[in-house]
Amino acid sequence: MIAEAGLAALWFAAALALLQLFLVGVGSAGGKSELLDAVRPVAVGQGLLASLAFVLLVTLFLRSDMSVLLVASNSHSMKPWLYKFAGTWGNHEGSMLLWVTVMGVAGAAVALFERALRRDAHMATLGAQAAISLGFYAFLLFSSNPFARIASPPTDGQGLNPLLQDPGLAFHPPTLYLGYVGLSVAFSFAVGALLTRQVDAAFARAMRPWVLGAWVLLTLGITAGSYWAYYELGWGGWWFWDPVENASLMPWLAATALLHSVTVLATRDALRAWTVMLAVIAFSMSMVGTFLVRSGILTSVHAFAVDPERGSFILGLLALYIGGALALFGWRIGTVREGAPFELVSRETMLVVNNLLLSVILGLVLIGTLYPLMTEAFGHKVSVGAPYFDRIAGPIALLLLIAMAAGPLTRWRRDQARVVAQRMLVPAIVAAIVAALLGALAWGRIGLLPYFGLVIALAVGFGSLAPLWKRKLRRTPLFTYGMVIAHLGCAVSVAGMACDSAFTVEKLVAVRPGDRIETAGWTLYFQRIMPIAGDNWTALQADIAVNRGGDAVMIHPQSRFFTAPPTSTTEAALLTRWNGQLYVVLGQEADDGRWQMRIWWKPFVTLIWLGGALIALGGLLSLIGHERRGWLHRWRARSAA
Amino acid sequence: MRKWLIWLPLFLFLGFFGLFASGLFKPDDRVIASKLIGQSLPAFTLPAAASDRPALASAQLATGAPRLLNIFASWCVPCAAEAPQLMALKNAGVEIDAIAIRDARPDVDAFLARNGNPYSRIGLDARSGVQIALGSSGVPETFVIDGRGRIAYQHIGDIRSDDVPMLLHRLKEAQ
């Protein structure tokens, strides 16, 4: 019964989305405002029904109801409950249901809480949101029904890909999805603003919290995904430029640009057309990402649900929404008045530079990701690997970092180049000192990109703190702290990346129990190999005592075997110290009883993810800082009434 | 100038759309060609995996006549599905050896009792070491080995009934 109830809830939610679109369309076109009065309750109802369908699917997974096809093919009764729960979205249908659920809830939130927009723009936004949701409802109901039953249920399921059986990955996809869907709301706002010809500061202020929220979640999702890949795949890398990784990076790049231009529009009423364009592009990138992951059009280490039928459905949605929005943009943007003017040396210009650099990186990543597809259309097979992306994205990212330090030190509207240069003096001195020191100590031993990366990262680290200089810290607005922390986070991440690529020491050995290994100042004593058993896996685990001068610490790299489905995974042992991580992977056993072992000492690698967390924290503080005044105001108004 | 610039994103998008559509609807040729094709088998010696079949070593696979090397496991469902096709190949006079991946002898015996035993020799690869050396990434997989012990063809996935003539043809070519 639960599955049937879930399907019914999904159909009703889709019907309400259709009704919502109809009410907005007829109500706005015919000026019948009594129809528009019904839009908000309908949007809330749609969100509730979609949530109900999702909760029912979670219930089916938790109860291991093997008569449901999706559960039987993605779950197993022996799995720990957390992974039964996470298994709900660890597959194509479930993750699409999560997508529409989040969209429905977001639509309900826009209906309930949005106050800054004029009524017609608000209604047009809700109409656009319903139109997007409808496409995804149709996708679920006609091509990927998550509640389908099977005639003869198996006694047990096939299990979840063991790589996904990890607490980090259980929550990484939903975080990214919340981010993607937040961008869909920004897209709806842009469409609503174009339809009602209200591209102005009020529109930007209404859209900004959604962009900020989506951006914070995307940042967290990408950071978590990167750390997961680092410790779970056992290859010691933290970014692979895999099409699926790029699928999450591209919306983030667009959202970062959007975040900055929406701030310009909200505070200075400039960059109107550009902001609308970026809102369209940011959501387009989410959809292109979904398409690339779901269609199997590009081969990737973790593309799943390879299916041309589903691919063509998403491609249809892509054409409808993105093509439609871009056509609407071309048709309407000419009628939008130009915003406020600004001088060449001004914070506006710095933010335009930031936007352009981000867009260039986005374009290059997009080309790199799609290049194999382009050449295949002409009969060649090419794969584009990490070296291309590192080489093209690295230098531009460093330029971006410099702009990032200079931007907050520049005044709105008009400034003097000489004064800005003076404010940049301290970071410049830091850069010179670091460049000289690093050059003297390590010249010729580290690559050019890591060298400049470290120099610029340290200078920008100081530069990003500069806006707090000589200010009364307790009276500084929260969003200024947010900006400072997010910028500092970028510098910290880049420093981590540079240290990792410049100073990592790698060693591959074949050892017997009882052997001792020396590397990068560490001593590893390989004691023994023991079999151990977990909930639904068995493993061979090595006991290794490691020390560097002081007391020994035990670490336990494993090689795990899962029975359902039969797979083996590596569980690397990570030992975190303040100045880096020791990373040990247990490999295969050779015929003569020796074990392959791969050992990395990675100085300051943890800064990469610490920086990511700081960036997200900065975004969160800005969000609270911007919105707190509005919340307080509304709360007071309500308590007074 | 500005006028056409406004429409530029739409045209760019249409270009991407065409690219995606052509990529999606072009016939699928995602066959992964192994780097080992044309090369000799890596050297290995494996213990016997079944109680009534001898063990397997790479030297035994270069005897002048082409043969099949099937990689399977008793816990693998598609392996049971391909068993009748292997039987058909054996009945057509093909010699088939096998490597059982991460398996146990009683399990292999039970699997062969249930699904038939087309194999001459079966080696046990308890920790997938040989499988990885062969460039094989899953079960089942089947290699066509020529008379000099070189890999002539790698078939990924289970053997369907319409693959049987193709495999016979490959074996003939490897003569």
Side-chain angles (χ1 to χ4, degrees), chain A residues 26-39:
Chain A
V26 176
S28 302
K32 296 195 173 74
S33 62
E34 60 277 14
L35 283 183
L36 291 178
D37 289 340
V39 170

Side-chain angles (χ1 to χ4, degrees), chain A residues 319-604:
Chain A
L320 195 64
Y321 298 145
I322 303 176
L326 291 173
L328 182 68
F329 178 83
W331 176 37
R332 280 288 167 91
I333 203 68
T335 64
V336 171
R337 278 187 309 110
E338 296 241 353
F342 52 88
E343 302 274 314
L344 186 62
V345 181
S346 65
R347 189 181 289 186
E348 285 92 328
T349 305
M350 294 310 294
L351 287 168
V352 169
V353 170
N354 142 305
N355 268 225
L356 289 177
L357 289 173
L358 280 166
S359 307
V360 170
I361 298 179
L362 173 61
L364 291 171
V365 173
L366 184 66
I367 290 172
T369 310
L370 297 179
Y371 192 72
L373 202 60
M374 297 183 208
T375 55
E376 216 173 317
F378 297 103
H380 303 282
K381 278 204 170 191
V382 181
S383 65
V384 179
Y388 161 82
F389 291 104
D390 287 344
R391 222 169 289 159
I392 58 120
I396 305 174
L398 292 183
L399 278 181
L400 185 64
L401 224 53
I402 296 173
M404 199 178 81
L409 298 175
T410 315
R411 292 211 172 92
W412 288 109
R413 209 157 72 83
R414 187 180 5 191
D415 208 335
Q416 284 173 306
R418 199 174 47 83
V419 183
V420 178
Q422 273 174 7
R423 292 191 203 117
M424 292 284 286
L425 200 61
V426 176
I429 293 172
V430 172
I433 295 173
V434 176
L437 269 179
L438 202 61
L441 289 174
W443 189 252
R445 281 187 291 147
I446 72 176
L448 215 52
L449 207 56
Y451 173 78
F452 283 116
L454 262 180
V455 171
I456 293 175
L458 287 169
V460 168
F462 276 88
S464 56
L465 291 173
L468 294 180
W469 185 250
K470 286 186 183 164
R471 283 188 83 142
K472 290 206 171 65
L473 290 182
R474 290 188 55 188
R475 301 180 84 182
T476 304
L478 202 51
F479 48 80
T480 306
Y481 277 111
M483 177 192 73
V484 166
I485 290 175
H487 285 185
L488 187 65
C490 291
V492 168
S493 266
V494 170
M497 296 167 194
C499 285
D500 177 53
S501 72
F503 305 121
T504 293
V505 180
E506 182 182 357
K507 191 163 192 171
L508 178 65
V509 291
V511 283
R512 282 193 186 82
D515 284 353
R516 222 172 266 281
I517 311 137
E518 305 270 346
T519 181
W522 288 87
T523 307
L524 291 85
Y525 175 60
F526 179 20
Q527 293 183 337
R528 57 182 179 170
I529 293 263
M530 294 283 284
I532 61 166
D535 288 328
N536 58 344
W537 46 266
T538 55
L540 291 168
Q541 175 173 298
D543 293 345
I544 303 170
V546 301
N547 71 74
R548 190 175 49 180
D551 293 331
V553 183
M554 295 301 296
I555 57 169
H556 308 280
Q558 295 176 352
S559 145
R560 267 188 202 175
F561 309 111
F562 289 81
T563 43
T567 327
S568 63
T569 65
T570 34
E571 299 292 314
L574 294 181
L575 184 68
T576 309
R577 286 291 172 261
W578 69 272
N579 59 348
Q581 265 185 342
L582 186 68
Y583 186 122
V584 180
V585 177
L586 180 67
Q588 300 286 330
E589 184 187 12
D591 295 336
D592 58 356
R594 296 199 298 174
W595 292 80
Q596 270 189 10
M597 212 176 280
R598 202 178 272 276
I599 304 155
W600 281 279
W601 168 242
K602 293 176 156 290
F604 297 107

Side-chain angles (χ1 to χ4, degrees), chain A residues 98-111:
Chain A
L98 176 63
W99 177 295
V100 291
T101 303
V102 179
M103 274 201 73
V105 171
V110 173

Side-chain angles (χ1 to χ4, degrees), chain A residues 277 291 297 311-312 315 318-319 323 326 330-331 333 366 370 374 376 381 540 566 588-589, chain B residues 2 6-7 9-10 13 16-17 19-21 23-26 29-30 75 102 127 129 132:
Chain A
M277 189 77 244
F291 170 73
I297 195 167
S312 38
L315 189 61
L318 207 74
L326 291 173
W331 176 37
I333 203 68
L366 184 66
L370 297 179
M374 297 183 208
E376 216 173 317
K381 278 204 170 191
L540 291 168
Q588 300 286 330
E589 184 187 12
Chain B
R2 269 199 70 123
I6 285 171
W7 296 98
L10 184 61
F13 169 72
F16 280 126
F17 178 79
L19 182 67
F20 288 154
L24 199 59
F25 295 113
K26 116 187 102 46
D29 61 336
R30 256 177 269 280
W75 41 262
R102 287 209 314 272
R127 294 212 171 99
I132 288 164

